[in-house]
């Protein structure tokens, strides 16, 4: 294998938006011929990266420091969440290269001191939204984070499978949510409350929750008795489900930007979301509606208004596609290529396209 230019590190054990963004970046860099290594804690992510050419994949076992105690040199280490930053710092202090940290959430005052120190020592600290940039600056004005938004790749769907899903829910207004079942962050209980509020008044509205997570059992218990809401679990063909939706509902309680929102918008699905974090950077009155986080009554009111206005949804669908075009994976990859190149730690020879 050629000398590794970039070592990516993600110690998370699950596969969520951050891991999807890492996968998109790795695939994009591979398309430019960049030799890479990925040190990952997620089995699902390791499997997803298995077919990327020029990539060495290693599972992260043990402590964060052990994750980077691996043979082979590289030109830059890229920590894809702040929890991996101490591993990158440790690697640097033991003779390794400088490192980049991508911060995907607003900084937490409860973050361990070592994590904060590792983020401050990074050669570049990247924020995925203007909201995260401003949050970082508010906590430490000495930091100058670089804004590189999350990206979305084309999500081809199977017309036959989309049509089959539409026939399954024929006559219903299908409202979907794609997110880990983690109510503290993603707010699925709001959707359960909304479903209960409108079950008798708007029986044609049907809620479909895709995903799995730590709150799966509790959320299923909370939804007992509802005939207008179902849990689909983890699905591999998300794009087919998105293609069958009338509305994407995202009642997140905390969000730096929202890669799931980007994927829905790229499929032309209007969005109803919580007005939190960086979500307003994606969702405008042209592409969807925003309501206060946790306000199930306001969520229900906005949902019904959209369900009863097909012409408005059609306009939003077109605008959503155009908005998603501003956040492509290609733009994200090119931004990181320029960042690596400016630091002098990687020398990609492939042509970088304009943003």
């Amino acid at each position: 294998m050629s000398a590794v230019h970039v070592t990516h590190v993600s110690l998370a054990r699950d596969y969520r938006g951050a891991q999807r963004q890492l996968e998109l970046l790795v695939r994009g860099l591979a398309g430019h011929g960049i030799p890479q290594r990925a040190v990952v804690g997620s089995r699902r992510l390791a499997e997803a990266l298995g077919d990327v050419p020029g990539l060495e994949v290693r599972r992260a076992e043990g402590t964060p420091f052990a994750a980077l105690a691996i043979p082979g040199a590289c030109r830059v280490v890229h920590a894809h969440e702040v929890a991996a930053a101490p591993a990158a710092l440790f690697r640097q202090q033991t003779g390794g290269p400088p490192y980049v940290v991508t911060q995907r959430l607003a900084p937490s005052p409860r973050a361990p001191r070592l994590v904060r120190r590792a983020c401050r020592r990074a050669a570049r600290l990247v924020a995925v939204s203007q909201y995260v940039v401003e949050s970082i600056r508010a906590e430490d004005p000495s930091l100058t984070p670089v804004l590189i938004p999350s990206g979305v790749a084309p999500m081809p769907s199977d017309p036959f499978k989309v049509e089959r899903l539409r026939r399954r829910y024929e006559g219903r207004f299908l409202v979907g949510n794609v997110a880990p079942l983690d109510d503290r962050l993603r707010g699925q209980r709001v959707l359960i409350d909304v479903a209960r509020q409108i079950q008798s008044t708007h029986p044609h509205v049907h809620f479909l929750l895709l995903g799995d997570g730590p709150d799966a059992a509790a959320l299923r218990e909370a939804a007992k008795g509802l005939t207008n809401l179902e849990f689909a679990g983890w699905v591999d063909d998300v794009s087919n489900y998105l293609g069958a939706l009338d509305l994407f509902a995202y009642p997140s309680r905390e969000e730096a930007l929202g890669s799931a929102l980007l994927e829905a918008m790229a499929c032309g699905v209007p969005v109803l979301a919580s007005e939190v974090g960086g979500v307003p950077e994606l969702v405008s009155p042209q592409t969807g509606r925003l309501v206060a986080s946790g306000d199930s009554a306001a969520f229900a009111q906005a949902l019904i208004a959209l369900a009863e206005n097909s012409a408005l949804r059609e306009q939003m669908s077109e605008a959503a596609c155009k908005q998603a075009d501003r956040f492509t994976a290609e733009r994200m990859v090119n931004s990181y290529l320029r960042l690596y190149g400016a630091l002098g730690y990687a020398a990609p020879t492939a042509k970088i396209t304009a943003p």
Side-chain angles (χ1 to χ4, degrees):
M1 174 182 252
S2 304
V4 172
H5 281 197
V6 184
T7 293
H8 305 275
V9 188
S10 173
L11 303 180
R13 298 292 178 184
D14 47 15
Y15 184 99
R16 300 193 179 192
Q19 288 68 46
R20 173 61 176 159
Q21 291 299 308
L22 186 157
E23 181 184 352
L24 290 177
L25 177 58
V26 166
R27 291 187 181 279
L29 294 176
H32 285 275
I34 308 299
Q36 304 170 83
R37 177 187 296 119
V39 182
V40 299
S42 167
R43 175 187 57 80
R44 191 183 295 274
L45 177 58
E47 292 172 351
L49 295 173
D51 64 344
V52 177
L55 175 70
E56 173 190 349
V57 181
R58 291 176 180 259
R59 287 291 306 281
E61 303 292 348
T63 70
F65 303 107
L68 281 182
I70 54 178
C74 65
R75 304 285 293 280
V76 59
V77 171
H78 187 162
H80 284 264
E81 69 265 341
V82 296
L89 173 63
F90 174 75
R91 179 66 181 267
Q92 182 190 56
Q93 292 179 334
T94 54
Y99 59 94
V100 173
V101 177
T102 294
Q103 187 146 345
R104 303 185 186 276
L105 297 172
S108 169
R110 299 184 299 276
R113 182 180 301 177
L114 180 58
V115 168
R116 297 198 298 271
R117 178 186 174 206
C119 289
R120 287 196 301 269
R121 295 284 186 90
R124 289 291 188 276
L125 182 61
V126 176
V128 299
S129 67
Q130 188 61 37
Y131 162 72
V132 176
V133 168
E134 293 170 0
S135 298
I136 292 171
R137 287 174 173 167
E139 183 184 72
D140 189 342
S142 70
L143 295 176
T144 55
V146 178
L147 174 61
I148 301 182
S150 300
V152 60
M155 297 181 66
S157 58
D158 184 329
F160 174 78
K161 292 182 179 179
V162 171
E163 183 58 31
R164 187 170 62 184
L165 283 167
R166 286 177 175 160
R167 285 200 304 268
R168 183 192 302 175
Y169 298 102
E170 190 171 1
R172 300 182 185 182
F173 183 80
L174 193 58
V175 180
N177 172 264
V178 182
L181 297 182
D182 184 345
D183 179 67
R184 183 182 65 84
L185 296 177
R186 300 294 170 248
Q188 284 94 350
R189 284 184 183 271
V190 171
L191 293 183
I192 293 173
D193 290 344
V194 172
R196 203 171 294 282
Q197 289 176 40
I198 68 173
Q199 180 169 224
S200 59
T201 58
H202 296 79
H204 68 294
V205 176
H206 192 78
F207 296 83
L208 187 63
L209 276 59
L210 281 70
D212 203 353
D215 291 339
L219 290 170
R220 289 176 186 273
E221 180 67 25
K224 272 189 174 179
L226 291 176
T227 59
N228 60 345
L229 183 146
E230 65 179 284
F231 295 87
W234 177 277
V235 300
D236 292 321
D237 58 336
V238 171
S239 59
N240 294 325
Y241 281 85
L242 291 174
L245 296 180
D246 296 295
L247 183 69
F248 189 81
Y250 204 69
S252 186
R253 305 182 195 277
E254 179 180 317
E255 196 65 63
L257 188 63
S259 56
L261 289 170
L262 279 173
E263 292 178 348
M265 294 167 72
C267 292
V269 186
V271 169
L272 174 58
S274 299
E275 190 172 7
V276 295
V279 171
E281 297 175 40
L282 296 180
V283 182
S284 69
Q286 289 73 43
T287 62
R289 290 290 183 267
L290 294 173
V291 297
S293 175
D295 190 339
S296 60
F299 211 95
Q301 183 178 11
L303 189 153
I304 292 168
L306 289 171
E308 294 176 346
N309 195 333
S310 60
L312 177 59
R313 294 199 312 275
E314 181 109 6
Q315 295 170 11
M316 287 179 169
S317 174
E318 184 177 347
C321 289
K322 291 180 179 178
Q323 175 73 324
D325 285 343
R326 298 177 54 238
F327 293 86
T328 64
E330 182 182 16
R331 286 178 180 238
M332 177 185 67
V333 170
N334 287 334
S335 294
Y336 277 113
L337 277 171
R338 284 189 288 271
L339 183 146
Y340 297 154
L343 293 176
Y345 307 136
T349 56
K351 181 180 178 181
I352 303 174
T353 57

